[in-house]
Amino acid sequence: MDMNAGFGGFAAAIESQKLWVMNVVPTIAEKNRLGVVYERGLIGIYHDWCEAFSTYPRTYDLIHANHLFSLYKNKCNADDILLEMDRILRPEGAVIIRDDVDTLIKVKRIISGMRWDSKLVDHEDGPLVNEKVLIAVKQYWVTNSTSAQ
């Protein structure tokens, strides 16, 4: 799933008949680009990430979020968006988040509390670029319960 699809470039970069990408164009995006996604032969939908996303009956293996948290900074809490991502991502699924470093530090703190493994890496143009990439993997975990005997 591409949570901020733009022109559908993430989906177009994945050339496989066995994979598909749900391109989501945020309703608050500056420009309406869902038509471009459709013209490229890709699937897509509009959605407001302050609300729940209907996924029944599927979960996603990979979520891509390009500047999504900056886009929604003054609209809703990052916690709510991350909880929705947690709900729609299968256990051991991955998330790639690209945003400015200050936003990603806040997101990383929340993700750590969700027991996801994460790593913040530099932009491909080097460490002096304010934009960074956060890669996270949702862990499959259950609580340790001991039975009394």
Side-chain angles (χ1 to χ4, degrees):
M1 171 185 286
D2 192 352
M3 295 178 75
N4 191 5
F7 294 113
F10 181 73
I14 298 175
E15 296 181 30
S16 173
Q17 296 296 327
K18 296 179 182 180
L19 301 175
W20 62 276
V21 175
M22 172 58 78
N23 292 284
V24 182
V25 175
T27 55
I28 65 170
E30 291 181 16
K31 295 184 180 179
N32 174 359
R33 296 192 172 129
L34 189 59
V36 176
V37 170
Y38 290 149
E39 287 175 11
R40 295 179 92 171
L42 304 170
I43 59 173
I45 189 171
Y46 289 114
H47 184 68
D48 179 358
W49 285 111
C50 295
E51 305 292 332
F53 186 80
S54 177
T55 59
Y56 184 81
R58 69 185 58 86
T59 58
Y60 291 85
D61 297 322
L62 177 66
I63 297 176
H64 179 253
N66 186 26
H67 294 278
L68 184 79
F69 291 95
S70 291
L71 182 65
Y72 280 94
K73 187 183 298 186
N74 298 321
K75 303 293 182 188
C76 55
N77 291 329
D79 306 50
D80 296 331
I81 296 172
L82 287 165
L83 285 173
E84 185 64 7
M85 290 170 79
D86 185 66
R87 185 187 67 80
I88 62 180
L89 187 67
R90 71 166 178 79
E92 300 177 340
V95 175
I96 302 169
I97 305 169
R98 178 184 292 262
D99 219 314
D100 66 81
V101 70
D102 295 332
T103 301
L104 288 182
I105 289 171
K106 294 174 187 174
V107 168
K108 185 172 176 34
R109 189 176 326 121
I110 298 166
I111 283 177
S112 296
M114 296 166 60
R115 298 186 183 183
W116 290 15
D117 289 337
S118 63
K119 183 174 183 175
L120 189 61
V121 297
D122 288 329
H123 188 273
E124 58 270 14
D125 290 337
L128 299 178
V129 178
N130 190 41
E131 183 179 275
K132 304 292 181 199
V133 178
L134 178 64
I135 301 166
V137 176
K138 178 180 174 179
Q139 297 303 300
Y140 183 78
W141 59 275
V142 293
T143 59
N144 291 335
S145 60
T146 57
S147 57
Q149 295 184 358

